[in-house]
Amino acid sequence: MLLPLYQSSLVASLLCQSSFLSSLAVFPFKAKKQTKKNKELEKQRAEKELSKLEAALMDPTRQPQSADDFDRLVLGNPDSSILWLQYMAFHLQATEIEKARAVAERALKTISFREEQEKLNVWVALLNLENMYGTEEALMKVFERAIQYNEPLKVFQQLADIYTDSEKYKQADDLYNTMLKRFRQEKSVWVKYATFLLKRGQVESAHRLLPRALKCLPDKEHVDVISKLAQLEFRFGNLEHGKAIFENTLSTYPKRTDIWSIYIDMMIKHGSQKEVREVFERIIHLSLTPKKMKFFFKRYLEYEKKYGTAETILAVKAAALEYVESKNSLTEG
């Protein structure tokens, strides 16, 4: 974040020279009568001040103290969005809103077009600024500009998060509904809106999303979005509804071991031990490849070692041995 060493030395030298000349003006004397000893003392004092200033400029923990400090930093690293955001925050702390806006605009003009994420970071900061200090009209103007220069979906999602974080739930809900129309084939939009609704306690509205999502999304995305919405039910909604979604999905896709694995994860975190064991018992009696069966037996054994008893551990080992023996007998036959 600091200037290169040669630039720091140059700035330090200039500042030190100014300080030195000022001190001479306060204490005038005749140069002719300056002794060799005095000259040496002045030189040592100047070198000491220079060294002190250079050390301060090169200190990685040093915080910028002024707009000039930030100007030097962004000059040395113009594509760093974090520096520009800190510069904006510096002005906002002093309630200099217009100056913070001006810094953001400078950043957008300065950062290389190749640094898409760095530019997006500044756009998001500007959206946040207008949301906190500006008008809705000003916010919408920035939003429309941001859409032109970035991937629109990313900007929509960022603004939705900004509205949610600032508890502007009506605006967030309206924006999500716009997104569902404009980006209806984007799985992430459905998942984010479901998360928003469940966190707000709007369970029934969240439940109505799944059939709508399945109508809009490509078939290849169906199982994944169903799984994600089921996980959200476990975390923020209704446990029984989440279980029902998993059960319905697995009845249609009984060999989707990735879904079984996620279901187990959710049940371990949110269900009872009885329910977890029931799921494991169903899995180990499925007709799966030996490799996948080994994976689930291993998970089952790990679960019992952590939560079960010596008796339940032995029961899992016995079931695994029985499975191996049955496979061996089939091979020999």
Side-chain angles (χ1 to χ4, degrees), residues 206-258:
H207 290 175
R208 289 193 292 269
L209 277 186
L210 182 54
R212 289 175 59 194
L214 297 180
K215 288 180 181 178
C216 297
L217 292 170
D219 290 346
K220 64 179 182 180
E221 301 282 12
H222 284 191
V223 176
D224 192 40
V225 77
I226 289 170
S227 172
K228 282 182 165 55
L229 293 184
Q231 292 174 64
L232 290 175
E233 288 288 347
F234 273 87
R235 291 171 183 150
F236 309 114
N238 184 289
L239 177 65
E240 292 304 317
H241 190 73
K243 288 168 59 178
I245 295 175
F246 272 116
E247 291 292 345
N248 289 337
T249 305
L250 290 167
S251 66
T252 307
Y253 306 97
K255 294 189 177 183
R256 282 291 298 263
T257 53
D258 55 332

Side-chain angles (χ1 to χ4, degrees), residues 33 49 59 100 102-103 177 192 212 225 238 273 278 297 309:
K33 294 185 178 180
E49 288 181 13
D59 182 2
V103 168
N177 279 289
K192 278 183 72 70
R212 289 175 59 194
V225 77
N238 184 289
Q273 290 189 359
E278 287 175 351
F297 269 117
T309 63

